[in-house]
Amino acid sequence: MDSTIASASQALAAGNPFDAMNLVALRDDAPALALRGIAMAQIGDLVRAKSLLREAVRAFGPQDRVAQARCVVAETEIALATRDLGWSTKRLDAARKTLDTHHDHANAALARHIELRRQLLLGQLDHVEQALSEIDTTPYPPALKASHELVIAGVRMRRLQTQSARQALVRAARYARQSGIPGLMAETEDTALVLNTPAARLITSGRERLILLEEVEALLASRSLVVDACRYDVRLGDTTISLAQRPLLFTLIRILSEAWPNDISRDVLIEQTFRTKYADDTHRVRLRVEIGRLRKLLKELLDIEATSRGFVLVPGQDQEVAVLARPVEERHGSLLALLADGQAWSSSTLAAALGASQRTVQRALDTLAAAGKVQSFGHGRTCRWLLPSIPAFTTTLLLPAPLPGD
């Protein structure tokens, strides 16, 4: 490695892409192409960065497998940043093994963490936790230690383990400061905001207020019966009954829960559940049938009693009924939750993260775009979607990951 390339590498490692660019801007040999690609990525021109890294892979050739592997890792990290999660995991794994074989353990660890962050975005928390438990971060440089702690924090927030998430974020902030990389410090600060931003609405006894993630965690651990309008289930302690496939029954239990401890009239239940203002005897019969089905499903958690004018929930002794609702009610909330990270996503990646078909996701995106809630740029395979502005609340509860007890 000549002195110019060495100096440019040191500048990039310190988070100074412009200094690195000044050193290699006029060179087109393989090492310079790779460094220019990484510098462009740090500046924010990710399209040009990916192109330069691919040129570098070709320029290095098979005789320099380590350099090629490093370029593959850098290219994959850019793909992660652009939320293009359809890369070949085999290619990344092969690059990681090459780096490990040639004792470049730092870049091998970076490759592993890129895959972990991809799995985190896709909601594969069990895989991520298993991998994290097998990693010893002692020899890592500060920047990689910060990335490791950010992955831990991401898992803990999705598991609603907020105290553990805060501790991981404190460690991540300390390592980010030690690294001296501005982008990493900013990412750590942005992630920490999630814990201090309203995550849901709590409705109980006719009152409503916004609550943080740690309050959601405390609510689910309490003796309250929780009607979760984010996951469409009913929870009490370790017992969870899902109504995601029974939307009408969930609508009924939510209406009854929001009215608790008071009863609610049959006419209101019919109007809001069946979406009609013109109730007749057939609607009243149908309401009795659906109430019977709901009572049978939830008999382990509470009772539903008839009153002179309607129905009322009867929870256990000294138990409260609480509704956990989204900060803003939105039909396509899960899509907005993924887009809320401020990155530009492709429709195929959104479909993979949600476990839905790309056609379904595209229709939802078109609906949201028509309402001005999302916007796109690019065409065809380069089309990306993002939010016009970052919401003033966290959408963690809507991300594709199981909550405690699921």
Side-chain angles (χ1 to χ4, degrees):
M1 184 183 296
D2 62 55
S3 59
T4 302
I5 294 296
S7 298
S9 299
Q10 292 171 358
L12 285 177
N16 299 318
F18 293 104
D19 291 344
M21 285 289 292
N22 288 334
L23 292 168
V24 296
L26 300 180
R27 293 177 53 165
D28 57 4
D29 54 291
L33 287 172
L35 291 173
R36 282 166 58 195
I38 297 171
M40 294 301 289
Q42 291 188 7
I43 292 170
D45 190 346
L46 301 181
V47 175
R48 180 58 177 154
K50 187 181 293 187
S51 175
L52 285 167
L53 287 167
R54 287 177 178 171
E55 289 182 40
V57 170
R58 291 191 294 267
F60 277 118
Q63 70 276 6
D64 199 341
R65 295 180 59 202
V66 174
Q68 279 190 324
R70 290 170 180 165
C71 290
V72 168
V73 173
E75 183 183 341
T76 309
E77 188 173 20
I78 291 170
L80 178 72
T82 57
R83 296 302 183 259
D84 180 8
L85 307 185
W87 70 69
S88 171
T89 55
K90 291 182 179 179
R91 185 169 179 246
L92 180 62
D93 192 53
R96 180 184 62 79
K97 290 178 179 177
T98 297
L99 294 169
D100 255 335
T101 301
H102 291 81
H103 307 292
D104 187 354
H105 301 302
N107 280 312
L110 174 60
R112 192 173 191 183
H113 279 79
I114 290 172
E115 177 58 23
L116 290 180
R117 292 177 68 185
R118 174 182 178 273
Q119 292 175 344
L120 181 62
L121 286 173
L122 296 176
Q124 300 170 2
L125 302 190
D126 292 337
H127 295 288
V128 177
E129 286 181 314
Q130 177 62 32
L132 289 172
S133 67
E134 299 170 355
I135 295 176
D136 177 17
T137 62
T138 304
Y140 285 3
L144 199 50
K145 287 183 178 179
S147 296
H148 181 85
E149 297 296 341
L150 285 174
V151 175
I152 292 176
V155 173
R156 297 293 180 262
M157 283 189 283
R158 286 162 175 77
R159 295 291 198 197
L160 288 186
Q161 300 170 356
T162 54
Q163 186 60 35
S164 178
R166 286 189 186 277
Q167 293 170 355
L169 286 170
V170 169
R171 294 191 297 269
R174 182 173 68 250
Y175 292 134
R177 287 193 298 270
Q178 290 176 7
S179 73
I181 300 176
L184 189 56
M185 289 186 279
E187 182 181 1
T188 304
E189 292 174 1
D190 290 343
T191 305
L193 286 176
V194 173
L195 293 175
N196 300 311
T197 306
R201 286 182 297 130
L202 176 64
I203 305 170
T204 183
S205 301
R207 296 186 298 274
E208 176 181 323
R209 66 183 179 90
L210 292 171
I211 59 175
L212 303 178
L213 270 181
E214 59 186 356
E215 294 175 283
V216 175
E217 180 185 9
L219 174 67
L220 296 181
S222 70
R223 296 188 68 253
S224 296
L225 185 138
V226 180
V227 177
D228 189 344
C230 299
R231 300 290 170 135
Y232 302 104
D233 55 35
V234 182
R235 299 166 176 267
L236 179 59
D238 295 330
T239 303
T240 300
I241 298 176
S242 175
L243 295 176
Q245 304 301 319
R246 309 289 293 272
L248 190 144
L249 294 186
F250 183 81
T251 300
L252 269 177
I253 188 62
R254 177 171 178 177
I255 295 170
L256 289 164
S257 299
E258 291 185 358
W260 182 87
N262 301 316
D263 65 350
I264 190 164
S265 71
R266 292 172 177 82
D267 289 340
V268 172
L269 280 171
I270 290 171
E271 178 182 342
Q272 295 186 12
T273 304
F274 304 138
R275 299 181 182 180
T276 179
K277 294 183 179 180
Y278 306 100
D280 55 25
D281 290 341
T282 61
H283 290 104
R284 294 184 178 88
V285 170
R286 186 183 176 192
L287 177 63
R288 286 199 299 272
V289 170
E290 300 299 344
I291 287 289
R293 290 172 176 167
L294 185 62
R295 185 183 285 128
K296 183 177 180 180
L297 275 174
L298 303 181
K299 63 182 179 180
E300 298 180 9
L301 306 183
L302 79 167
D303 193 14
I304 304 174
E305 292 184 355
T307 66
S308 58
R309 73 186 196 110
F311 295 92
V312 65
L313 295 184
V314 182
Q317 187 176 6
D318 298 328
Q319 285 182 347
E320 288 192 344
V321 177
V323 176
L324 188 65
R326 302 173 179 181
V328 175
E329 298 288 349
E330 171 58 55
R331 178 184 174 189
H332 303 296
S334 296
L335 268 178
L336 295 178
L338 292 170
L339 294 170
D341 64 359
Q343 303 298 326
W345 291 66
S346 66
S347 59
S348 59
T349 300
L350 288 168
L354 295 174
S357 72
Q358 190 171 345
R359 184 181 295 273
T360 298
V361 169
Q362 188 61 55
R363 285 199 296 265
L365 288 169
D366 291 340
T367 300
L368 291 170
K373 296 179 179 179
V374 301
Q375 62 187 25
S376 64
F377 62 90
H379 300 281
R381 298 183 65 179
T382 63
C383 181
R384 295 292 183 271
W385 296 85
L386 71 167
L387 294 183
S389 59
I390 304 301
F393 50 84
T394 176
T395 49
T396 301
L397 295 179
L398 304 182
L399 292 173
L403 294 178
D406 285 351

